[in-house]
Amino acid sequence: MALRPIITCLDPALRQTSAPLEQVDDAVQRLIDDMLLTMYEAPGIGLAAIQVAEPVRLIVTDVSDEDGERNPHVLINPEILWTSDSRNVYNEGCLSVPEHYAEVERPAECRVRFLNREGKEEEIHADGLLATCLQHEIDHLNGVLFIDYLSKLKRNMIIRKVAKASRETVMV
Ligand code: NI
């Protein structure tokens, strides 16, 4: 297992549409292990493969309590089958938009079909934080970031601050 560098919203690669995985082979298993390690180390509650510069439709999440037992979800080629009319607002962040948070409204519940890491088809009905997290991560597979739900003014302000912070990091 290895930590992977996380690309930020300054990298245009994050805006591409990721391709479906054709098979769940050893290379994919290694990528999954690397992504889980990278997510826990960050720490974060979700990570899409494109955030570690792999443009494939694969996400990992773990919304369990930081002190509780780990409960990772691995979703390959996830597909949103249904979303509720009821909505939820969470203060969202993203490992690719470091240090910035904003309230985003999304459907409160969703049903997602995916392949698990054994390559078997599964469905999950999610609500609460997991529903928001799954929608946030699946957005990444389509090149969408949570800041896209904000006003252009606010989005550009955040991107400028991330750019400024990354320049300062390089100088140190
Ligand atoms: Ni994100």
Side-chain angles (χ1 to χ4, degrees):
M1 281 199 281
L3 279 175
R4 303 273 195 122
I6 296 173
I7 63 176
T8 73
C9 57
L10 306 174
D11 190 332
L14 209 54
R15 292 305 193 167
Q16 67 192 294
T17 299
S18 295
L21 276 166
E22 301 294 336
Q23 52 186 0
V24 186
D25 55 16
D26 288 350
V28 172
Q29 298 295 345
R30 277 196 297 277
L31 176 58
I32 290 168
D33 287 336
D34 288 354
M35 284 172 63
L36 286 168
L37 182 72
T38 303
M39 176 182 74
Y40 286 125
E41 182 70 23
I45 61 168
L47 191 68
I50 188 59
Q51 292 181 273
V52 294
E54 298 281 352
V56 293
R57 301 187 83 81
L58 162 62
I59 64 175
V60 298
T61 73
D62 188 341
V63 299
S64 60
D65 237 304
E66 236 171 83
D67 308 325
E69 227 169 274
R70 284 180 173 178
N71 182 24
H73 291 278
V74 175
L75 292 88
I76 297 163
N77 300 341
E79 207 185 319
I80 295 180
L81 301 175
W82 170 86
T83 56
S84 64
D85 291 334
S86 59
R87 318 268 293 176
N88 234 342
V89 176
Y90 273 100
N91 197 31
E92 292 191 25
C94 180
L95 295 174
S96 295
V97 189
E99 311 289 333
H100 292 276
Y101 302 87
E103 290 196 334
V104 177
E105 187 185 298
R106 298 180 187 269
E109 296 173 57
C110 62
R111 183 154 44 245
V112 179
R113 180 194 293 149
F114 61 98
L115 297 178
N116 64 22
R117 68 183 298 176
E118 282 79 47
K120 291 223 172 66
E121 193 173 287
E122 271 189 48
E123 276 184 32
I124 187 171
H125 184 115
D127 60 10
L129 183 56
L130 181 60
T132 285
C133 188
L134 289 175
Q135 291 172 74
H136 174 122
E137 300 311 329
I138 292 169
D139 269 354
H140 273 301
L141 305 183
N142 300 318
V144 175
L145 302 175
F146 82 95
I147 53 175
D148 298 344
Y149 295 96
L150 311 178
S151 69
K152 197 172 176 193
L153 189 75
K154 199 159 183 200
R155 178 167 63 250
N156 288 339
M157 192 188 73
I158 289 174
I159 290 170
R160 271 201 307 275
K161 283 183 177 169
V162 172
K164 186 164 180 276
S166 78
R167 279 196 303 274
E168 282 165 1
T169 306
V170 170
M171 279 161 59
V172 165

